[in-house]
Amino acid sequence: MISRVNIQTSIQRLDNLPSHELKIEGILRVYLDLFPVLNAMLMRFSPLGYLGEGILSMDENGIGNIRDVRDDIRSIPAIYTAIRERKSRFVSSETFFQEINSKYINTNTSCLIVPILSGNTVVGYICSNVFPKDSSFQEDLLSDLTFYGKMVGQILEISSPVPKSAHLSKRELEVMR
């Protein structure tokens, strides 16, 4: 079992990284190091259109770009349920074909979804579908993964301050009116 202190310490170390991009890469590295998974796909999520978009994938072969992945997650019950409940979810081979969009069905027969929360809003999720042999995802591990998603959301929230230049000046507001 993974201690929450270990999760928290590992995530807080990412805050010292100099760029947002390195933090995102670090999020996946920590995830792969702490949990019994062999791959990770980081997705952003928009609650306005229920849109999931790929950002980055990582496995033993390195890092990959998955920006071509875009889905209405309402068409993928496994992901939709994890996001709606704001809890990590493991989909086993018994229900895999019913809960995953047919375009993602290949030889893999299980999937793990970890929602990333900013406050109470899901802003992304991590999916894994390759696991070490004899991996088991019991409630305590799923709870730790949910905690991980909340910690990741806090780090992303801290590392993405809105620059002052994003605010319109008084004159710009006048022109816009």
Side-chain angles (χ1 to χ4, degrees):
M1 179 147 158
I2 301 160
S3 81
R4 294 210 172 181
V5 171
N6 190 17
I7 293 170
Q8 197 165 12
T9 303
S10 297
I11 291 294
Q12 286 174 340
R13 282 189 205 128
L14 299 176
D15 200 32
N16 297 326
L17 294 173
S19 72
H20 185 70
E21 291 75 18
L22 288 174
K23 287 179 186 181
I24 288 174
E25 186 179 321
I27 287 166
L28 292 183
R29 286 194 194 287
V30 168
Y31 174 79
L32 289 168
D33 289 344
L34 290 178
F35 300 105
V37 296
L38 298 176
N39 74 331
M41 294 165 276
L42 179 62
M43 310 290 284
R44 93 176 41 118
F45 173 70
S46 169
L48 295 176
Y50 296 94
L51 183 65
E53 296 179 291
I55 298 174
L56 198 66
S57 69
M58 187 179 288
D59 60 20
E60 73 273 357
N61 297 320
I63 300 170
N65 182 337
I66 56 171
R67 294 196 188 277
D68 57 328
V69 176
R70 289 176 58 102
D71 284 299
D72 180 335
I73 60 97
R74 292 173 291 191
S75 68
I76 309 172
I79 297 171
Y80 185 57
T81 300
I83 287 174
R84 195 178 66 242
E85 294 176 356
R86 294 174 183 80
K87 289 174 37 179
S88 296
R89 188 157 188 262
F90 180 75
V91 178
S92 65
S93 57
E94 290 82 33
T95 59
F96 183 79
F97 293 105
Q98 298 162 354
E99 297 207 38
I100 302 296
N101 189 310
S102 62
K103 76 179 185 180
Y104 296 112
I105 294 176
N106 53 27
T107 59
N108 298 310
T109 58
S110 299
C111 184
L112 174 67
I113 303 103
V114 179
I116 297 171
L117 292 129
S118 178
N120 202 27
T121 303
V122 176
V123 295
Y125 54 96
I126 299 172
C127 285
S128 295
N129 61 359
V130 181
F131 310 97
K133 199 171 190 119
D134 301 323
S135 293
S136 175
F137 291 89
Q138 303 301 323
E139 265 320 298
D140 57 342
L141 181 55
L142 290 173
S143 178
D144 289 342
L145 285 155
T146 299
F147 179 74
Y148 179 82
K150 290 176 182 178
M151 294 300 302
V152 165
Q154 289 176 4
I155 288 296
L156 290 175
E157 194 174 273
I158 291 168
S159 72
S160 302
V162 177
K164 290 190 183 234
S165 63
H167 298 287
L168 297 176
S169 71
K170 189 175 183 181
R171 177 67 184 138
E172 288 170 324
L173 288 172
E174 289 173 6
V175 169
M176 195 170 80
R177 281 190 206 117

